[in-house]
Amino acid sequence: MFPKFSPARATIPALVVGLLAVLLILYTWRLPPFTSSVQTTDDAYVRGLVTVVSPQVAGYIVDIPVRDYAEVREGTLLARIDDRIFQQRLAQARAQLSTAQAALANLDVQRRTKEASIEVSRAGIENAQAVLTKAQADERRLAPLIEANIQSRAQGDQVRAALRQAEAGLAQSQASETVAQQSLAETLATRPSLEAAVQNAEAAVHLAEIDLQNTRILAPGNGRLGEVGARVGQYVTAGTQITSLVPELRWVVANYKETQLAGMQVGQPVTFRVDALQGAQLTGRVERFSPATGSEFSVIRADNATGNFTKVAQRLPVRIAIDAGQPLADRLAPGMSVVVRIDTASAPAPAGPAMAQD
């Protein structure tokens, strides 16, 4: 005889399963009573200052002494462009500078010559003044004698003619001085343009020197190179990517949902696990928050005023400084994925040693 089936006994397992399912959902979504002060996100990555190295001048590459992923120091030669044309341009600029300087020096010679001409004209004026004074004296002495018929009128005509010549000579000497003064003024007026020509030639020399220096592409800082994309014999122009330089500076950017930000403060301790290091855990601290969500920095911004609206939690980037003294920190590379955990209930830690920041 079979036992009588009881509906109450069948309901109990179903209720237990349902309760467990509800509890699992609440735990998964961190809803009460499973709320936690620890905020976690896997939308986080290692970041670094990746610098694209490009030439400033155009030309053919003649030497690339470095290789992919090499460690370099600031000033290390990465590539060299054929500099023969730039050397000739520098020589040409220096020759033009010499010409401009010679023209300016010649102006000083001309100035001294014109000043000497003025002195000669002044001496001529003094001589003409002396001749005029003598002629005037002769005319005054001879006039009474002619009136008294002691001297002939022909002699008087000669004296008066000499007086007129002396007056004309003085006027000519004075005009010569005026001409010499004007010539000197014209010469001095050309000095600003000649000085400007010298300055322009000096600037051209400096530009040619800069272009010649730029044929040597140097590392802008310490770090490791990415892939070297240039080849010997390749023609490059300004802006052509030669390689990339990744400095030692590292940090983490965690994109937290806006609903997770309550309680987060600058200085709070952070732990994060790195996928590439088999989940190894490292530490850091909250350094600063982005001034806007990621959507505000997108090229095409969303316009919620059009069409149907669906509210979506936005994410705010949080920059995390990596604590110094962690051996595994040297193995971090920009772009690595990490999982970040921040306990919003913890107090901000005092400023401690961290990896060098920008």
Side-chain angles (χ1 to χ4, degrees), residues 17-333:
V17 171
L19 180 60
L20 291 176
V22 171
L23 293 176
L24 179 60
I25 293 174
L26 294 176
Y27 176 79
T28 302
W29 291 93
R30 292 295 188 268
L31 297 175
F34 300 105
T35 54
S36 173
S37 61
V38 177
Q39 299 297 337
T40 304
T41 182
D42 58 359
D43 188 358
Y45 307 91
V46 179
R47 290 286 185 257
L49 297 176
V50 180
T51 302
V52 176
V53 180
S54 303
Q56 297 187 42
V57 296
Y60 290 95
I61 294 180
V62 295
D63 185 24
I64 301 179
V66 294
R67 296 294 178 263
D68 298 346
Y69 316 133
E71 186 172 352
V72 296
R73 308 296 295 176
E74 182 177 358
T76 301
L77 179 64
L78 304 182
R80 186 165 60 88
I81 296 175
D82 187 1
D83 61 358
R84 292 176 297 174
I85 294 178
F86 299 96
Q87 288 179 349
Q88 294 305 312
R89 287 178 181 173
L90 177 58
Q92 184 181 36
R94 286 173 174 169
Q96 293 175 349
L97 175 59
S98 298
T99 301
Q101 290 173 337
L104 184 59
N106 184 55
L107 175 67
D108 293 331
V109 174
Q110 293 180 5
R111 175 182 57 80
R112 290 190 291 269
T113 301
K114 298 299 174 61
E115 289 173 349
S117 298
I118 292 175
E119 294 299 325
V120 171
S121 298
R122 288 174 179 172
I125 291 175
E126 293 178 358
N127 179 69
Q129 186 66 50
V131 173
L132 177 61
T133 301
K134 179 179 180 304
Q136 290 173 341
D138 291 343
E139 196 272 337
R140 285 194 298 272
R141 286 193 300 270
L142 190 60
L145 297 177
I146 294 176
E147 292 294 332
N149 293 322
I150 298 176
Q151 290 289 343
S152 64
R153 294 187 179 277
Q155 186 67 29
D157 293 340
Q158 292 178 357
V159 172
R160 285 191 291 274
L163 177 61
R164 300 295 180 271
Q165 289 178 351
E167 291 174 345
L170 177 60
Q172 183 179 7
S173 297
Q174 291 174 338
S176 297
E177 183 191 18
T178 302
V179 171
Q181 292 281 8
Q182 291 294 331
S183 179
L184 177 61
E186 292 176 356
T187 300
L188 295 179
T190 60
R191 172 173 286 276
S193 63
L194 293 177
E195 290 177 343
V198 170
Q199 294 174 355
N200 182 67
E202 290 175 344
V205 169
H206 294 326
L207 289 174
E209 290 174 345
I210 292 173
D211 286 342
L212 181 59
Q213 293 172 358
N214 286 335
T215 59
R216 293 171 53 85
I217 304 172
L218 307 178
N222 301 335
R224 296 184 62 186
L225 299 178
E227 182 179 354
V228 180
R231 299 292 182 268
V232 173
Q234 177 182 353
Y235 183 82
V236 296
T237 59
T240 300
Q241 181 173 345
I242 300 296
T243 185
S244 297
L245 178 68
V246 183
E248 298 176 354
L249 176 61
R250 304 285 190 277
W251 66 91
V252 172
V253 172
N255 300 301
Y256 273 98
K257 292 181 181 180
E258 54 188 331
T259 55
Q260 297 177 286
L261 298 175
M264 284 192 189
Q265 302 178 52
V266 173
Q268 285 179 329
V270 179
T271 60
F272 60 93
R273 296 187 179 276
V274 186
D275 296 351
L277 302 180
Q278 297 181 341
Q281 181 173 294
L282 289 87
T283 61
R285 66 175 184 270
V286 176
E287 185 179 21
R288 53 181 176 265
F289 297 90
S290 171
T293 62
S295 61
E296 292 298 308
F297 295 109
S298 62
V299 177
I300 302 177
R301 294 173 54 186
D303 187 357
N304 295 330
T306 61
N308 296 325
F309 170 70
T310 302
K311 184 175 181 179
V312 178
Q314 300 298 312
R315 291 184 179 268
L316 186 81
V318 179
R319 176 159 167 158
I320 299 169
I322 302 172
D323 292 337
Q326 302 180 88
L328 291 178
D330 294 336
R331 298 177 59 184
L332 295 177

Side-chain angles (χ1 to χ4, degrees), residues 333-354:
M336 286 184 174
S337 299
V338 298
V339 179
V340 177
R341 294 169 56 88
I342 301 176
D343 187 354
T344 57
S346 61

